[in-house]
């Protein structure tokens, strides 16, 4: 799957369009990233434009270095860029990856946008890439994210204690969730009915 990172993957449904992250997305996403509450539970601490610039261009470099595949999220209903997400921790050998590094403008949270985006990513992972496992992680203290992940049918597998060091030097416990290939058809038919 060495060509995976070279692909121009655009995923789209009636609500959202996920576009490969490029430098052209910077102005629209910087407008979103200025909402400080986005970064409360993330390992990256974005307090100013320099922090965001580092975060943004690191994501682009990760794709160039075949480490992750970042997307810009366009909300078709709101008619604006809404945030970003990625495929990361990719192991084609073991047929798994992680969906994460996801953030949205606070005004667009709990509006159905996240579910629309997760549907696109899960479909691509299970149906195009033939993965056996898709993982999602969040900070143990991020109740909103934990609830959202559970609502899309992911199974909580456990707590990873002192799993990460945040950019500010603090330790983060992470909660690990997954969906496996056998579960996907049922989740698609029930939780994502209508997509």
């Amino acid at each position: 799957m060495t060509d995976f990172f070279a692909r121009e993957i655009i995923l789209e449904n009636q609500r959202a369009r996920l576009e490969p992250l490029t430098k052209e997305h910077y102005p629209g996403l910087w407008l979103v990233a200025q909402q400080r509450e986005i970064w409360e539970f993330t390992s990256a601490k974005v307090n100013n434009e320099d922090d965001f610039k580092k975060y943004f261009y690191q994501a682009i470099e990760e794709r160039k270095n075949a480490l992750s595949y970042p997307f810009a999220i366009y909300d078709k209903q709101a008619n604006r860029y809404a945030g970003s997400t990625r495929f990361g921790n990719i192991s084609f050998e073991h047929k798994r990856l992680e969906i994460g590094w996801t953030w949205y403008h606070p005004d667009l949270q709990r509006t159905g946008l996240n579910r629309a985006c997760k549907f696109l990513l899960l479909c691509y992972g299970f149906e195009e890439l033939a993965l056996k496992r898709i993982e999602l992680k969040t900070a143990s203290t991020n109740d909103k994210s934990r609830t959202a992940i559970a609502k899309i049918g992911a199974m909580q597998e456990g707590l990873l204690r002192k799993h990460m060091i945040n950019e500010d030097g603090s330790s983060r416990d992470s909660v690990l969730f997954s969906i496996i290939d056998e579960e996907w058809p049922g989740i698609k038919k029930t939780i994502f009915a209508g997509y």
Side-chain angles (χ1 to χ4, degrees), residues 31 33 37 44 58 73 78 87 97 104 113 122 174 176:
L31 287 174
E37 68 187 82
Q58 182 178 336
I73 299 167
F87 285 137
L97 57 69
Y104 302 97
L113 178 61
L122 290 164
S174 297
L176 177 64

Side-chain angles (χ1 to χ4, degrees), residues 31-174:
L31 287 174
V32 177
Q34 292 176 58
Q35 308 302 308
R36 296 287 296 266
E37 68 187 82
I38 290 171
W39 309 102
E40 181 180 357
F41 297 106
T42 61
S43 59
K45 299 303 176 195
V46 174
N47 295 306
N48 53 50
E49 188 168 6
D50 285 341
D51 291 344
F52 181 69
K53 200 173 286 184
K54 177 184 166 192
Y55 175 89
F56 181 89
Y57 286 104
Q58 182 178 336
I60 290 175
E61 283 301 307
E62 283 190 11
R63 180 177 171 203
K64 287 181 188 171
N65 294 320
L67 296 172
S68 74
Y69 197 110
F71 295 93
I73 299 167
Y74 188 80
D75 184 342
K76 294 164 78 172
Q77 183 176 295
N79 199 31
R80 61 179 163 140
Y81 284 98
S84 183
T85 191
R86 291 183 215 177
F87 285 137
N89 291 325
I90 300 164
S91 173
F92 290 120
E93 176 188 1
H94 296 289
K95 296 185 177 286
R96 70 168 188 258
L97 57 69
E98 180 180 349
I99 295 172
W101 303 265
T102 304
W103 48 274
Y104 302 97
H105 192 288
D107 292 348
L108 299 173
Q109 295 173 8
R110 297 183 173 164
T111 64
L113 178 61
N114 180 57
R115 188 172 291 223
C117 291
K118 291 298 189 290
F119 178 72
L120 291 168
L121 294 164
L122 290 164
C123 278
Y124 192 82
F126 287 120
E127 298 172 18
E128 298 296 323
L129 299 177
L131 299 174
K132 295 193 171 294
R133 173 183 173 86
I134 294 179
E135 299 173 346
L136 302 100
K137 289 195 300 279
T138 191
S140 63
T141 53
N142 191 343
D143 293 332
K144 198 173 359 178
S145 181
R146 289 174 72 169
T147 299
I149 293 170
K151 281 186 175 177
I152 63 163
M155 178 181 288
Q156 182 173 321
E157 295 185 327
L159 177 69
L160 306 174
R161 299 178 301 158
K162 293 197 174 183
H163 174 243
M164 298 173 70
I165 303 295
N166 295 318
E167 282 186 359
D168 63 7
S170 62
S171 293
R172 173 182 131 165
D173 294 344
S174 297

